[in-house]
Amino acid sequence: MNGKAAPRSAGEGTTRTRLDRGRGALGPALELVHTGRAPTRAVLTAELGVTRATAGAVAAELEALGLINVDARPGAAAGSQGRPSHRLEVAENGPVALAAQVHADGYRAALVGLGGRIVATTPGCEIVDADPAKVLGSVVDAGAELLRETGRRCVGAGLAVPSAVAEPDGLALNPLHLAWPAGAPVRQIFAERVRAAGVEGPAFAANDVNLAALAEHRHGAGRGARDLLCVATGHRGVGGALVLDGRLHTGSSGLALEVGHLTVHPEGRPCHCGSRGCLDVETDPLALLTAAGRDPGPEGSLLRQANDLINGRYDEPAVRTATEALIDRLGLGLAGLVNILNPDRIILGGLHRTLLDADPGRLRAVVADRSLWGQSGGVPILACTLDHNSLVGAAELAWQPVLDDPLAGLAPA
């Protein structure tokens, strides 16, 4: 050999560059379709900053992987000019993630596809054992049964729990409303149960409100926000989450935004943390039922009972007075958070969504009156829009490796 490189055929360098760049664009392209930001190949081309040929190759490879569908015969939009672009959609029968949620009033499993679309769910169970291993084993088994029934390929599993989850070990530090031991290794237990059930892919666990915020930011009321604050109360207690510059902010060890322990009523109810009048015990479903003079019954979750009370009996003086008190205290808490965080949007979930719907003017007025940023321009306060958003967020954890690198994320273990 003379040491000289073999001559390249005409166009070989361009083809190789296009292929390499296209593979690097697979993840960003899939995320754009997944979040609805690239409904057509033309938009995908513009968002990726690549040529039409490269975008076409990327879309074709994602379709070959069974992740998206490319509609090669789209109809032109009314009034449009020129050649219509191919439409891009997530594959209806593509892979799914197994999502699990545990809360104070039960647990549920679901299968969630790309686009945040729930494919199947189990009925909600209303019994939570004090042993996390038993509960997580049951919810994983329920999800595994869904996989067997549907025959779907699974990319991984995600778990949402009503507790701060410390990184890097995945410990549930304060599962106050579950009677679980503090520091329970929920991620490890969940991963073990996932493997034992024969479910493919990695397993993850995180706080339920963090995951709700992630889901809403990608697929719901938070879409398009840069700095998004989410505050929610589900079955017991109050949680918060923050998306900064498009990414979930969890702090140095996963414990950021424990908003439930903001004091909003100094002479209020004793809190589990040792203080009094925290958001956690002043604006959750039990607080509403207590303030309205109702004893919680066995006929359903606390969240359902509280929502039904507001939606069905708001005209009753005791219910209206209780609702207004919770709105005022929630507004105080939100105003304090707005002063510190300066978000461009607030979304409310669980009972807080119902409080907003009951009297949106009152809540927004309290926030504006007590917040410097609220007074200067107002922060939009919206209701969460996704059903089971914590489940969808748990699935997002499992989908993330595929979004980062579709080829590696779908490779056999």
Side-chain angles (χ1 to χ4, degrees):
M1 295 181 66
N2 60 11
K4 293 183 179 180
R8 291 184 178 180
S9 60
E12 180 182 346
T14 301
T15 301
R16 186 182 301 276
T17 300
R18 181 181 297 149
L19 177 62
D20 291 343
R21 189 173 186 185
R23 288 191 184 281
L26 283 176
L30 182 60
E31 183 165 345
L32 287 166
V33 179
H34 171 60
T35 56
R37 290 179 290 154
T40 67
R41 202 169 69 182
V43 176
L44 183 68
T45 301
E47 289 288 335
L48 293 177
V50 298
T51 65
R52 289 176 58 187
T54 297
V58 167
E61 187 154 7
L62 291 175
E63 186 173 38
L65 290 170
L67 296 171
I68 72 169
N69 291 327
V70 181
D71 184 355
R73 296 169 297 166
S80 64
Q81 296 181 354
R83 182 178 175 182
S85 180
H86 294 6
R87 292 200 61 80
L88 307 177
E89 297 176 342
V90 298
E92 184 175 346
N93 296 313
V96 295
L98 190 159
Q101 181 182 12
V102 180
H103 52 72
D105 290 321
Y107 60 82
R108 183 187 294 268
L111 304 183
V112 185
L114 283 168
R117 184 171 55 88
I118 295 179
V119 173
T121 63
T122 63
C125 176
E126 296 184 357
I127 299 174
V128 179
D129 197 278
D131 180 356
K134 291 183 179 179
V135 180
L136 298 183
S138 296
V139 73
V140 168
D141 287 345
E145 180 61 27
L146 287 180
L147 286 170
R148 285 189 289 271
E149 291 172 357
T150 60
R152 294 296 188 95
R153 179 180 182 180
C154 184
V155 300
L159 169 67
V161 292
S163 166
V165 177
E167 300 294 347
D169 298 320
L171 308 179
L173 291 189
N174 58 342
L176 298 173
H177 305 296
L178 295 180
W180 288 359
V186 292
R187 182 178 298 146
Q188 176 186 335
I189 296 171
F190 184 62
E192 291 171 351
R193 296 302 183 271
V194 166
R195 288 193 295 270
V199 176
E200 296 180 355
F204 306 87
N207 171 260
D208 55 359
V209 179
N210 276 351
L211 296 180
L214 180 63
E216 292 284 346
H217 185 261
R218 290 182 175 180
H219 308 293
R223 184 182 291 174
R226 178 174 176 176
D227 299 324
L228 174 70
L229 172 64
C230 176
V231 177
T233 177
H235 298 264
R236 290 292 301 275
V238 174
L242 184 66
V243 176
L244 289 178
D245 200 16
R247 293 185 176 275
L248 189 64
H249 175 70
T250 57
S252 61
S253 57
L255 308 180
L257 268 290
E258 279 291 304
V259 304
H261 300 292
L262 288 173
T263 299
V264 293
H265 184 32
E267 293 78 37
R269 299 177 178 85
C271 183
H272 315 280
C273 70
S275 185
R276 300 185 71 88
C278 294
L279 206 62
D280 209 54
V281 293
E282 294 291 339
T283 65
D284 77 343
L286 182 60
L288 178 81
L289 294 171
T290 302
R294 298 311 205 266
D295 292 325
E299 64 274 10
S301 71
L302 293 176
L303 176 60
R304 183 183 304 168
Q305 293 178 57
N307 282 335
D308 289 348
L309 188 62
I310 294 176
N311 292 328
R313 298 182 176 274
Y314 188 61
D315 290 337
E316 294 183 12
V319 176
R320 180 182 291 272
T321 298
T323 301
E324 291 176 347
L326 261 70
I327 289 173
D328 291 347
R329 288 164 192 165
L330 174 60
L332 287 175
L334 293 178
L337 292 168
V338 167
N339 285 335
I340 296 169
L341 302 173
N342 189 26
D344 58 21
R345 193 180 308 175
I346 298 170
I347 57 174
L348 302 178
L351 178 64
H352 292 168
R353 175 172 59 181
T354 307
L355 294 176
L356 174 65
D357 291 341
D359 196 340
R362 186 183 186 98
L363 180 60
R364 293 183 175 117
V366 174
V367 175
D369 184 56
R370 299 298 187 105
S371 160
L372 175 63
W373 308 122
Q375 293 171 1
S376 65
V379 181
I381 303 175
L382 307 175
C384 291
T385 57
L386 299 179
D387 292 331
H388 307 302
N389 52 18
S390 291
L391 277 171
V392 175
E396 291 294 318
L397 294 179
W399 273 111
Q400 194 59 52
V402 180
L403 296 174
D404 291 338
D405 187 341
L407 291 174
L410 292 177

